[in-house]
Amino acid sequence: MEPVHKPNKRMPVSAMLDPKIVLPAIGAAFAKLDPRAMIKNPVMFVVEIVAALTTVIFLRDLLTGGENLGFTFQIILWLWFTVLFANLAEAVAEGRGKAQAETLRKTRTESQAKLLSGAGRDYKLVSGTSLKVGDLVLVEAGDTIPSDGEVIEGVASVNEAAITGESAPVIRESGGDRSAVTGGTQVLSDWIRVRITAAQGSTFIDRMIKLVEGAERQKTPNEIALNILLAGLTIIFVFATVTIPSYAAYAGGSISVIVLVALFVTLIPTTIGALLSAIGIAGMDRLVRFNVLAMSGRAVEAAGDVDTLLLDKTGTITLGNRQATAFRPVRGVTEQELADAAQLASLADETPEGRSIVVLAKEKYGIRGRDMAELGATFVPFTAQTRMSGVDAGGSSVRKGAVDAILNYVGGGASTAIASGNAARAMQPVALSEAGREISAIADEVSKSGGTPLAVAKDGKLLGIVQLKDIVKGGIRERFAELRRMGIRTIMITGDNPMTAAAIAAEAGVDDFLAQATPEDKLKLIRDEQAKGKLVAMCG
């Protein structure tokens, strides 16, 4: 899952300095002094034992008036500091995962739902956690879908970036395979009536919380081997330290227990033992910041053995926000006219595509933005039903959108003109048909080049195509080349047609691609690769 980037925001406070993580970690560090917990780390368990031993000796000497109390006190402080620091490092690392789970839990508990009581659109606001299977809720533009469900009425554009990482919104409508919606996603336009299908405790967010909290620390084979080595070295140094008093006595001297303890702790690899588990947990929790949930250290370690990497196209290989790259007019229309109309229709369009059209028209043709208020223009927003947007200004109407939607829009206008008996406009359907064929040909050409066509019409006349391109991320080709040198084969998976997929794959530099992919196709590809003895990873 890729987060939405917002400009002019301060960078998040480091986990080591965030009081919300550090303060609970201090208490957890003392709780981890329980020998039943410490014994999982043999090195630090031994340090805790000798720290307790020196504390007892210090208290005895304090009561009996022993010597070198200051030196003994310093040794005790350093020993307990070593143990507590190890526990604190591990607790802080664990705190990131707990914070992630708490954020998800807060999203679930703070959601509000518009619970419908009948067939109309009358509703009452209730907590999202109170919804039951079968409840009907209304979700309008700007609302967050309160729980997992199924669309039973309406069609809407939904932002699922929080779940899938895809920045481009998707259409969700009743019937078919696009009716399922997920709690925590946001409706951008129109409205939908949703029937709740998941009981509380089994929604997508609930499962994510369980996954984050269930990502318990599991030692990897390499870490187990290192722990065995550290334990072995500790035993060796125990014997070495125990024999020193005998040599000292033979030489006519003596060494106190406190000095022996200090020497022993200096010899054993306390730093490695103290930070080993913390490093592993921190690595897993750092992945969470990039929307990657590592369920165990074993999974992280296994990533180094990957042979085949499958990648979703949108948002992974490409930026996900399509950008306007060219204006393709039909015969009889200049690029300047097409650019002017496309920019006018995009002045109030805040989508990345709309902003890019305004920028391209300004940079390529010097067409500057106009004030919608001065023009007396009315912006027509994009809806999932019409699949187009535009503007009405000064008696003119400009529309841009999906090619088939614009063709239907223009064709519908012509049919109305014929029905009204207007002889002058009765000839327009023939012209529209010719322009429509040309628009379709340009759209096919754009698709073959890996772009997305956006048709533009003004006052019932087709002007041409704005070519949108899903921009491949900078440096992605070099990264794939590096993966190739590492022996990892990359495969791009996309729902695009084969022509568009081939163009994007060639530009990105992947080894292979799978076009018009369904979930079943993805699963088959994974199984085919595994049947060849490959370790397969999926990114997207």
Side-chain angles (χ1 to χ4, degrees):
M1 304 185 265
E2 185 174 338
V4 178
H5 298 285
K6 298 180 180 180
N8 302 323
K9 292 287 186 181
R10 293 177 60 189
M11 291 297 290
V13 179
S14 171
M16 287 298 294
L17 302 178
D18 189 349
K20 295 180 180 178
I21 294 179
V22 174
L23 294 180
I26 294 174
F30 283 93
K32 288 176 178 290
L33 292 175
D34 186 342
R36 292 171 296 183
M38 292 295 298
I39 200 171
K40 297 178 181 178
N41 190 335
V43 175
M44 299 314 300
F45 178 64
V46 171
V47 176
E48 183 182 32
I49 290 176
V50 295
L53 174 62
T54 53
T55 303
V56 172
I57 294 174
F58 172 75
L59 293 176
R60 184 201 64 185
D61 293 344
L62 184 64
L63 294 175
T64 59
E67 299 178 353
N68 299 322
L69 293 179
F71 173 74
T72 304
F73 183 68
Q74 292 181 56
I75 296 298
I76 292 172
L77 285 181
W78 280 112
L79 290 175
W80 283 117
F81 174 79
T82 301
V83 176
L84 288 172
F85 178 79
N87 291 347
L88 180 65
E90 186 172 353
V92 168
E94 291 174 346
R96 292 203 65 89
K98 293 178 181 178
Q100 183 77 1
E102 186 60 32
T103 300
L104 291 171
R105 190 176 289 107
K106 187 176 181 180
T107 300
R108 182 190 63 181
T109 57
E110 292 185 353
S111 65
Q112 294 287 312
K114 297 176 179 178
L115 181 64
L116 295 170
S117 55
R121 294 180 65 176
D122 296 331
Y123 62 83
K124 62 177 181 179
L125 281 176
V126 300
S127 172
T129 56
S130 66
L131 295 174
K132 302 183 296 294
V133 175
D135 284 347
L136 299 179
V137 296
L138 175 67
V139 190
E140 299 176 299
D143 293 345
T144 298
I145 298 174
S147 185
D148 299 353
E150 180 182 9
V151 179
I152 61 172
E153 183 182 354
V155 55
S157 176
V158 180
N159 178 13
E160 295 185 345
I163 303 299
T164 64
E166 299 283 356
S167 56
V170 297
I171 302 298
R172 292 289 177 253
E173 58 187 341
S174 58
D177 59 355
R178 297 192 298 176
S179 61
V181 291
T182 306
T185 58
Q186 185 182 37
V187 171
L188 300 179
S189 68
D190 306 284
W191 62 272
I192 49 177
R193 191 190 302 268
V194 178
R195 179 190 291 115
I196 302 302
T197 58
Q200 293 303 316
S202 60
T203 64
F204 177 84
I205 292 181
D206 289 319
R207 294 197 299 272
M208 285 299 298
I209 292 173
K210 292 177 182 177
L211 285 174
V212 173
E213 293 180 333
E216 297 179 355
R217 178 65 176 146
Q218 297 179 8
K219 295 181 179 179
T220 68
N222 288 339
E223 188 177 349
I224 293 173
L226 184 56
N227 271 321
I228 293 173
L229 174 62
L230 295 180
L233 290 175
T234 301
I235 294 173
I236 291 173
F237 289 128
V238 166
F239 285 112
T241 306
V242 167
T243 60
I244 289 177
S246 301
Y247 289 105
Y250 180 78
S254 64
I255 299 178
S256 68
V257 174
I258 300 299
V259 173
L260 291 174
V261 167
L263 174 62
F264 171 68
V265 174
T266 303
L267 289 175
I268 65 176
T270 51
T271 304
I272 300 176
L275 298 179
L276 189 60
S277 58
I279 291 170
I281 296 173
M284 293 166 56
D285 291 332
R286 187 178 182 184
L287 290 174
V288 173
R289 297 166 58 188
F290 299 97
N291 289 337
V292 178
L293 181 60
M295 294 303 296
S296 69
R298 182 185 293 271
V300 177
E301 192 172 277
D305 299 325
V306 169
D307 299 299
T308 302
L309 177 61
L310 310 183
L311 305 103
D312 278 333
K313 185 202 76 173
T314 306
T316 304
I317 293 177
T318 63
L319 295 176
N321 294 331
R322 296 171 299 178
Q323 304 290 311
T325 57
F327 296 106
R328 306 283 299 277
V330 297
R331 285 190 298 272
V333 177
T334 65
E335 288 189 20
Q336 182 86 14
E337 292 173 332
L338 174 58
D340 182 77
Q343 191 214 49
L344 181 62
S346 304
L347 288 176
D349 186 353
E350 295 299 331
T351 64
E353 293 89 346
R355 295 293 86 199
S356 70
I357 292 174
V358 174
V359 171
L360 181 63
K362 178 181 178 180
E363 291 180 348
K364 194 170 184 179
Y365 301 102
I367 303 174
R368 298 190 174 274
R370 289 152 281 185
D371 192 329
M372 296 283 286
E374 292 180 359
L375 293 174
T378 302
F379 178 63
V380 180
F382 173 87
T383 67
Q385 289 93 343
T386 62
R387 293 187 296 134
M388 61 183 177
S389 62
V391 65
D392 294 328
S396 296
S397 63
V398 183
R399 296 292 184 271
K400 63 179 177 65
V403 175
D404 58 338
I406 294 296
L407 290 175
N408 290 336
Y409 169 76
V410 174
S415 299
T416 303
I418 296 173
S420 66
N422 189 322
R425 294 182 61 190
M427 297 299 292
Q428 196 171 9
V430 177
L432 284 174
S433 178
E434 292 174 355
R437 286 194 294 270
E438 188 175 354
I439 284 285
S440 298
I442 296 174
D444 288 341
E445 186 179 341
V446 170
S447 297
K448 290 178 181 178
S449 66
T452 301
L454 193 69
V456 180
K458 181 177 182 180
D459 296 332
K461 176 185 177 182
L462 292 170
L463 299 182
I465 292 288
V466 177
Q467 180 172 334
L468 301 176
K469 184 172 177 56
D470 203 352
I471 306 299
V472 173
K473 291 182 178 179
I476 197 74
R477 189 180 186 90
E478 290 74 16
R479 294 184 184 183
F480 288 149
E482 186 176 349
L483 289 173
R484 193 175 298 111
R485 288 193 295 269
M486 296 167 58
I488 299 176
R489 179 168 172 259
T490 55
I491 302 177
M492 183 186 77
I493 299 177
T494 177
D496 289 339
N497 62 70
M499 291 183 296
T500 302
I504 295 293
E507 183 177 356
V510 294
D511 297 312
D512 201 354
F513 67 90
L514 177 65
Q516 296 177 331
T518 64
E520 292 77 14
D521 294 332
K522 292 182 183 180
L523 183 59
K524 183 178 183 300
L525 177 60
I526 292 172
R527 287 176 173 170
D528 289 344
E529 290 293 318
Q530 290 174 334
K532 300 175 184 177
K534 306 291 186 181
L535 183 61
V536 182
M538 178 71 194
C539 179

